[in-house]
């Protein structure tokens, strides 16, 4: 026997004049970033910029740091969107290897804002070279940017969080390549650098827990950013092969990491630290 129910009165969400719906008392307030100041390194483009946009939508004020002199063209639109939402997106051109400048920029942001609440450390580089050919110089550069750069950015932000005493959250972008070796993608130093990021996060979480600073990582699978699009031009077979290597049979888009950034930066993850969020379509579970 089948029963049919006629729905006559579907309740709809009440209309609000406030464009920032998240963070209202009745709407998952633990996901709100309203009033928080967050730094995003590598925020000029790609994953960093996409996650910055999500943080803005959740109410944060965001400072994007990147070595590029100018951010990607879409940065301006996101800046305008932030304004419409009643918050702000700023840009500072800086190389994360310049520790002195990094500390002074982060400190002056904290001074201007009177607080510091968190970081997404997304700045990173990639190099495809076989292990027998890798030069010491290139290997040092890889670790300088991907490990020391992430470490020093986290340290600069943690110092300011500790100064204001409100606690905070740090998210480092690692990779599934920190846990497994990608088939047919020869990146020994990159993969080792991402493994280092995973362990670094656990150490910082252990040291900074007493300051109520949480430290976690996100390990994405393949993301179609401009970096990866360029690889597909050079190696078109990868566009066919890579999707077959995970359980969902496709590659990811930067937008699919928006929720993870907001979750990890907000109180929604308040008891989570020293942990890795692996988001790889099941690639490493196979
Ligand atoms: N694209 C992928 O498939 C993928 C997968 C897993 C992890 N990741 C990681 O995600 C992060 C973002 O990568 P993406 O794919 O958006 O690449 P991307 O090259 O578009 O973004 C990286 C950003 O970091 C910046 N950067 C590099 N070196 C820097 C330095 N020394 N100082 C300051 N900024 C610097 C670049 O200018 C760039 O804007 C990286 O850490 C990357 O390793 C990417």
């Amino acid at each position: 026997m089948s029963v049919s129910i006629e729905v006559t009165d579907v309740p709809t969400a009440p209309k609000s004049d406030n464009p920032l719906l998240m963070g209202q008392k009745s709407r998952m307030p633990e996901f709100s970033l309203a009033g928080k100041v967050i730094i995003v390194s590598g925020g000029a483009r790609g994953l960093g910029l996409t996650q910055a946009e999500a943080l803005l939508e959740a109410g944060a004020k965001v400072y994007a740091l990147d070595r590029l002199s100018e951010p990607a063209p879409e940065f301006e639109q996101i800046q305008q969107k932030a304004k419409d939402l009643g918050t702000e997106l700023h840009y500072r051109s800086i190389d994360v290897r310049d520790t002195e400048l990094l500390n002074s920029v982060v400190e002056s942001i904290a001074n201007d804002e009177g607080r510091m609440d968190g970081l997404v450390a997304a700045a990173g580089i990639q190099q495809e070279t076989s292990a027998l050919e890798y030069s010491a110089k290139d290997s040092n550069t890889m670790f300088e940017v991907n490990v020391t750069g992430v470490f020093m950015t986290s340290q600069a932000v943690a110092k300011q969080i500790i100064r204001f005493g409100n606690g905070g959250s740090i998210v480092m972008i690692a990779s599934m390549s920190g846990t497994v070796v990608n088939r047919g993608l020869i990146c020994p130093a990159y993969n080792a650098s991402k493994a280092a990021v995973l362990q670094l996060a656990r150490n910082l979480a252990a040291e900074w827990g007493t300051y109520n600073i949480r430290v976690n990582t996100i390990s994405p699978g393949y993301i179609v950013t401009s970096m990866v699009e360029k690889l597909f031009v050079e190696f078109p077979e990868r566009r066919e092969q890579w999707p077959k290597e995970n359980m969902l049979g496709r590659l990811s888009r930067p937008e699919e990491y928006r929720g993870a950034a907001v979750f990890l930066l907000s109180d929604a993850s308040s008891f989570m630290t020293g942990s890795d969020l692996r988001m790889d379509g099941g690639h490493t579970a196979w």
Side-chain angles (χ1 to χ4, degrees):
M1 191 183 75
S2 73
V3 179
S4 79
I5 299 168
E6 201 181 331
V7 181
T8 51
D9 186 20
V10 181
T12 53
K15 288 206 165 66
S16 165
D17 292 337
N18 182 355
L20 183 65
L21 294 176
M22 287 186 84
Q24 290 183 347
K25 276 190 187 143
S26 57
R27 296 172 191 242
M28 300 292 284
E30 66 271 40
F31 281 94
S32 172
L33 295 173
K36 300 203 185 224
V37 175
I38 296 170
I39 306 263
V40 178
S41 75
R45 67 179 190 205
L47 180 65
L49 182 54
T50 302
Q51 291 190 316
E53 185 178 9
L55 302 176
L56 291 161
E57 286 179 36
K61 195 182 266 194
V62 176
Y63 284 80
L65 314 185
D66 202 290
R67 71 172 169 189
L68 299 179
S69 55
E70 296 289 338
E74 61 267 30
F75 192 91
E76 235 175 72
Q77 288 154 24
I78 298 171
Q79 230 167 5
Q80 184 55 48
K81 182 178 183 179
K83 227 172 166 184
D84 297 342
L85 288 168
T87 184
E88 292 166 29
L89 171 63
H90 298 277
Y91 189 72
R92 301 280 188 274
S93 174
I94 176 171
D95 191 310
V96 294
R97 291 172 291 181
D98 187 344
T99 313
E100 210 176 305
L101 183 60
L102 186 62
N103 273 285
S104 81
V105 165
V106 173
E107 187 180 354
S108 83
I109 292 169
N111 286 343
D112 291 348
E113 299 293 344
R115 62 186 300 147
M116 180 56 65
D117 301 283
L119 166 72
V120 176
I125 54 170
Q126 154 76 301
Q127 182 179 333
E128 226 178 318
T129 303
S130 74
L132 287 176
E133 287 162 350
Y134 227 104
S135 71
K137 184 169 173 289
D138 284 356
S139 178
N140 283 338
T141 304
M142 181 64 64
F143 289 106
E144 194 181 5
V145 175
N146 285 12
V147 184
T148 310
V150 166
F151 187 6
M152 291 299 113
T153 312
S154 302
Q155 185 194 67
V157 170
K159 280 180 185 166
Q160 299 310 315
I161 295 175
I162 292 165
R163 184 156 73 95
F164 289 98
N166 301 317
S169 174
I170 292 174
V171 177
M172 302 170 179
I173 306 302
S175 171
M176 66 173 180
S177 312
T179 301
V180 294
V181 177
N182 313 50
R183 279 176 203 274
L185 183 64
I186 311 296
C187 298
Y190 175 82
N191 289 12
S193 78
K194 292 301 184 180
V197 169
L198 293 172
Q199 182 61 5
L200 177 67
R202 289 188 280 260
N203 277 266
L204 301 188
E207 282 196 45
W208 295 342
T210 51
Y211 302 107
N212 194 23
I213 299 176
R214 299 182 295 108
V215 186
N216 294 289
T217 47
I218 298 174
S219 286
Y222 293 119
I223 316 168
V224 185
T225 58
S226 51
M227 191 173 86
V228 170
E229 285 285 8
K230 257 186 244 155
L231 277 181
F232 288 159
V233 173
E234 208 179 329
F235 308 98
E237 67 283 2
R238 289 180 184 175
R239 199 189 284 278
E240 306 300 319
Q241 182 54 35
W242 285 359
K244 293 182 191 152
E245 293 175 359
N246 71 56
M247 296 171 182
L248 296 178
R250 63 176 181 83
L251 304 180
S252 70
R253 292 171 290 109
E255 292 74 22
E256 293 182 274
Y257 303 87
R258 283 165 46 90
V262 173
F263 169 64
L264 289 175
L265 264 297
S266 71
D267 289 345
S269 59
S270 54
F271 199 54
M272 181 169 173
T273 197
S275 208
D276 180 46
L277 204 50
R278 210 179 297 167
M279 302 175 69
D280 61 2
H283 185 118
T284 55
W286 239 352

